[in-house]
Structure formats: C-alpha cells, structure tokens
Coordinates of all heavy atoms in Angstrom, one line a residue:
L31 N -10.6 24.8 38.5 CA -9.2 24.3 38.2 C -8.4 24.3 39.5 O -8.5 25.2 40.3 CB -8.6 25.3 37.1 CG -9.3 25.4 35.8 CD1 -8.6 26.5 35.0 CD2 -9.3 24.1 35.0
F32 N -7.6 23.3 39.6 CA -6.8 23.1 40.9 C -5.3 23.0 40.6 O -4.9 22.4 39.7 CB -7.2 21.8 41.6 CG -8.7 21.8 41.9 CD1 -9.6 21.4 41.0 CD2 -9.1 22.0 43.2 CE1 -11.0 21.3 41.3 CE2 -10.5 22.0 43.6 CZ -11.4 21.6 42.6
A33 N -4.5 23.7 41.4 CA -3.1 23.6 41.4 C -2.5 23.5 42.8 O -3.1 24.2 43.7 CB -2.4 24.7 40.6
H34 N -1.5 22.7 43.0 CA -0.9 22.7 44.4 C 0.3 23.6 44.4 O 1.1 23.6 43.4 CB -0.7 21.3 44.9 CG 0.3 20.5 44.1 ND1 1.7 20.6 44.3 CD2 0.1 19.5 43.2 CE1 2.3 19.7 43.5 NE2 1.4 19.1 42.8
M35 N 0.5 24.3 45.5 CA 1.6 25.2 45.5 C 2.9 24.6 46.1 O 4.0 25.2 45.9 CB 1.2 26.4 46.4 CG 0.1 27.2 45.8 SD -0.4 28.6 46.9 CE -1.3 27.8 48.2
D36 N 2.8 23.5 46.8 CA 4.0 22.9 47.4 C 4.8 22.1 46.3 O 4.2 21.6 45.3 CB 3.7 22.0 48.6 CG 2.7 20.9 48.2 OD1 1.8 21.1 47.4 OD2 2.9 19.8 48.7
V37 N 6.1 22.0 46.5 CA 7.0 21.2 45.6 C 7.8 20.3 46.4 O 7.9 20.4 47.7 CB 7.9 22.1 44.8 CG1 7.1 23.1 43.9 CG2 8.9 22.9 45.7
V38 N 8.4 19.3 45.8 CA 9.3 18.4 46.5 C 10.7 19.0 46.6 O 11.0 19.9 45.8 CB 9.3 17.0 45.7 CG1 8.0 16.3 45.8 CG2 9.8 17.1 44.3
P39 N 11.5 18.5 47.5 CA 12.9 19.0 47.5 C 13.6 18.7 46.2 O 13.2 17.9 45.4 CB 13.5 18.2 48.7 CG 12.3 17.7 49.5 CD 11.2 17.5 48.5
E40 N 14.8 19.3 46.1 CA 15.5 19.1 44.8 C 16.2 17.7 44.7 O 16.5 17.3 43.6 CB 16.6 20.2 44.7 CG 17.8 20.0 45.7 CD 17.6 20.7 47.0 OE1 16.4 20.9 47.4 OE2 18.6 21.1 47.6
G41 N 16.3 17.0 45.8 CA 16.9 15.7 45.7 C 18.4 15.8 45.6 O 19.0 16.8 46.2
E42 N 19.1 14.9 45.0 CA 20.6 15.0 44.9 C 21.0 16.1 44.0 O 20.8 16.1 42.8 CB 21.1 13.7 44.3 CG 22.6 13.6 44.1 CD 23.4 13.9 45.3 OE1 23.1 13.3 46.4 OE2 24.2 14.9 45.3
A43 N 21.6 17.2 44.6 CA 21.9 18.4 43.9 C 22.9 18.2 42.8 O 22.8 18.9 41.8 CB 22.5 19.4 44.9
S44 N 23.8 17.2 42.9 CA 24.8 17.0 41.9 C 24.3 16.5 40.6 O 24.9 16.6 39.5 CB 25.9 16.0 42.4 OG 25.3 14.7 42.6
L45 N 23.0 16.0 40.6 CA 22.4 15.5 39.4 C 21.8 16.6 38.5 O 21.4 16.4 37.4 CB 21.3 14.5 39.7 CG 21.8 13.2 40.4 CD1 20.7 12.3 40.7 CD2 22.9 12.5 39.6
W46 N 21.7 17.8 39.1 CA 21.1 19.0 38.4 C 22.2 19.6 37.6 O 23.3 19.8 38.0 CB 20.5 20.0 39.4 CG 19.2 19.6 40.0 CD1 19.0 18.7 41.0 CD2 17.9 20.0 39.5 NE1 17.6 18.6 41.2 CE2 16.9 19.3 40.3 CE3 17.5 20.9 38.5 CZ2 15.6 19.5 40.2 CZ3 16.1 21.1 38.4 CH2 15.2 20.4 39.2
K47 N 21.8 20.0 36.4 CA 22.8 20.7 35.5 C 22.6 22.3 35.7 O 23.5 23.0 35.2 CB 22.5 20.4 34.0 CG 22.7 18.9 33.7 CD 22.4 18.6 32.3 CE 22.7 17.1 32.0 NZ 22.3 16.8 30.5
T48 N 21.6 22.7 36.4 CA 21.4 24.1 36.7 C 21.0 24.2 38.2 O 20.7 23.2 38.8 CB 20.3 24.7 35.8 OG1 19.0 24.0 36.1 CG2 20.6 24.6 34.4
N49 N 20.9 25.4 38.7 CA 20.4 25.6 40.1 C 18.9 25.3 40.1 O 18.1 25.9 39.3 CB 20.7 27.0 40.5 CG 20.3 27.3 41.9 OD1 19.4 26.6 42.5 ND2 20.9 28.3 42.5
P50 N 18.5 24.3 40.9 CA 17.1 23.9 40.8 C 16.1 25.0 41.2 O 14.9 24.9 40.9 CB 17.0 22.7 41.8 CG 18.2 22.8 42.6 CD 19.3 23.5 41.8
W51 N 16.6 26.0 42.0 CA 15.7 27.1 42.5 C 15.8 28.4 41.7 O 15.3 29.4 42.1 CB 16.0 27.3 44.0 CG 15.9 26.0 44.8 CD1 16.9 25.3 45.3 CD2 14.7 25.3 45.0 NE1 16.4 24.2 46.0 CE2 15.1 24.2 45.8 CE3 13.4 25.5 44.7 CZ2 14.1 23.2 46.2 CZ3 12.4 24.6 45.1 CH2 12.8 23.5 45.9
E52 N 16.5 28.3 40.6 CA 16.6 29.5 39.6 C 16.2 29.0 38.2 O 17.0 28.2 37.7 CB 18.0 30.1 39.6 CG 18.4 30.7 41.0 CD 19.8 31.3 40.9 OE1 20.4 31.3 39.8 OE2 20.2 31.8 42.0
V53 N 15.1 29.4 37.7 CA 14.6 28.9 36.5 C 15.5 29.3 35.3 O 16.0 30.5 35.2 CB 13.2 29.4 36.2 CG1 12.8 29.2 34.7 CG2 12.2 28.8 37.1
V54 N 15.9 28.4 34.5 CA 16.7 28.6 33.3 C 15.9 28.2 32.1 O 15.3 27.2 32.0 CB 18.0 27.8 33.4 CG1 18.8 27.9 32.1 CG2 18.9 28.2 34.6
Q55 N 15.9 29.1 31.1 CA 15.2 28.9 29.9 C 16.1 28.4 28.8 O 17.2 28.9 28.6 CB 14.5 30.2 29.4 CG 13.7 30.0 28.1 CD 13.0 31.2 27.6 OE1 13.0 32.2 28.2 NE2 12.3 31.1 26.5
K56 N 15.7 27.3 28.1 CA 16.4 26.8 27.0 C 15.4 26.5 25.9 O 14.7 25.5 25.9 CB 17.1 25.5 27.3 CG 18.2 25.6 28.4 CD 18.9 24.3 28.7 CE 20.0 24.4 29.8 NZ 20.6 23.2 30.1
G57 N 15.3 27.5 25.0 CA 14.3 27.4 24.0 C 12.9 27.5 24.6 O 12.5 28.4 25.3

C-alpha cells in the first residue's frame, strides 16, 4: 500500500471557510 506525504499549498486562502492547516470536523 502506498501513500504520499507531501501536500499541495492551500491556494487562495480567502476561498477556505476554515483554516486549511487545522482540521475541522463536521459530522
């Protein structure tokens, strides 16, 4: 099984409804 550890940047921060680097749970 393979997984990559790198991620892409957040992009345009204003388009996020939450902080992209702090996980938020909704259900």
Side-chain angles (χ1 to χ4, degrees):
L31 302 174
F32 300 81
H34 64 84
M35 296 180 287
D36 58 321
V37 301
V38 295
E40 70 271 28
E42 178 53 55
S44 65
L45 298 177
W46 284 81
K47 297 178 181 178
T48 62
N49 184 333
W51 304 111
E52 294 180 5
V53 168
V54 173
Q55 181 179 358
K56 298 181 180 180

